[in-house]
Amino acid sequence: MANRQSSQVEITPEVLLKAYACGIFPMAESAEDPALYWIEPERRGILPLERFHVPARLARTLRGDRFRVVCDRDFDAVIDGCAEPQAGRARTWINIRIRRLYRALFEHGHCHTVEVYDGDVLVGGLYGVSLAGAFFGEAVLSCSTPSSSPIIWRCSARSSCPGASITGCSSGRWPAMAASTHWRRISR
């Protein structure tokens, strides 16, 4: 992690992409804190997409017509939703600098959103970075149903990042459906 003195160094979208290529990403202590810190997780969660297994319950949900999944339609709504308090987390790390950096990546085609709608209501989503055949899920919008989260992860790499062969997340945000979909943890 960075210290307070180095945390105010300007991070450009280009620097951010190089950081992802090295396995690190920025976070803030809170939405009010203007500083960013580099995070280098000991372990990452990955899902090689050729090994993705669709559990029976998820398959039924995917065949149904209740949810509509779209990509890159409403970046601001997704990042706003990801920044909302969630169970087990009263505060967010998504500050104004994070919003601006990922918005710039979005405008350059390196950040994508996946959105799940129930009718016209956004019930789930995520944003993440695509780079060199990988999609790095950054934050997940709290979902209204347990079945929405796997839909988001399933669609993230295939829909928003054509050609992606792997989806990843920091091990601290290990997806709930990890065992049933062949997620695995890897060390740095």
Side-chain angles (χ1 to χ4, degrees):
M1 276 199 200
N3 62 34
R4 275 282 191 206
Q5 288 73 33
S6 65
S7 61
Q8 291 295 323
V9 171
E10 184 59 31
I11 300 172
T12 65
E14 294 77 19
V15 168
L16 185 54
L17 288 174
K18 288 179 183 179
Y20 269 91
C22 295
I24 61 176
F25 56 90
M27 287 185 85
E29 288 293 326
S30 71
E32 297 77 30
D33 187 353
L36 295 180
Y37 304 92
W38 291 111
I39 305 296
E40 185 176 11
E42 286 289 322
R43 301 185 66 156
R44 302 273 308 178
I46 64 163
L47 173 61
L49 295 177
E50 73 278 357
R51 293 185 59 211
F52 184 83
H53 168 73
V54 180
R57 174 180 267 166
L58 174 56
R60 281 192 302 275
T61 302
L62 291 170
R63 283 191 303 269
D65 61 357
R66 177 175 176 190
F67 298 109
R68 183 170 39 93
V69 180
V70 297
C71 298
D72 296 337
R73 184 173 122 184
D74 197 343
F75 176 85
D76 294 321
V78 171
I79 203 161
D80 287 347
C82 290
E84 289 294 316
Q86 297 182 20
R89 188 193 83 209
R91 299 181 337 166
T92 182
W93 68 92
I94 301 173
N95 67 6
I96 192 68
R97 289 180 72 195
I98 293 280
R99 288 173 185 267
R100 286 180 183 151
L101 273 170
Y102 287 88
R103 163 58 78 182
L105 287 182
F106 180 77
E107 290 170 359
H108 288 96
H110 289 288
C111 183
H112 299 280
T113 62
V114 179
E115 301 137 43
V116 179
Y117 291 88
D118 186 350
D120 291 332
V121 178
L122 181 65
V123 295
L126 70 73
Y127 74 92
V129 174
S130 63
L131 180 67
F135 180 82
F136 302 92
E138 273 311 303
V140 177
L141 160 61
S142 181
C143 299
S144 69
T145 67
S147 59
S148 298
S149 186
I151 294 169
I152 296 165
W153 284 100
R154 172 67 173 114
C155 294
S156 62
R158 299 293 172 133
S159 300
S160 60
C161 306
S165 60
I166 196 166
T167 294
C169 70
S170 69
S171 195
R173 292 177 290 194
W174 191 247
M177 73 290 181
S180 65
T181 56
H182 298 292
W183 280 85
R184 59 189 172 111
R185 289 186 169 138
I186 59 169
S187 296
R188 277 190 259 185

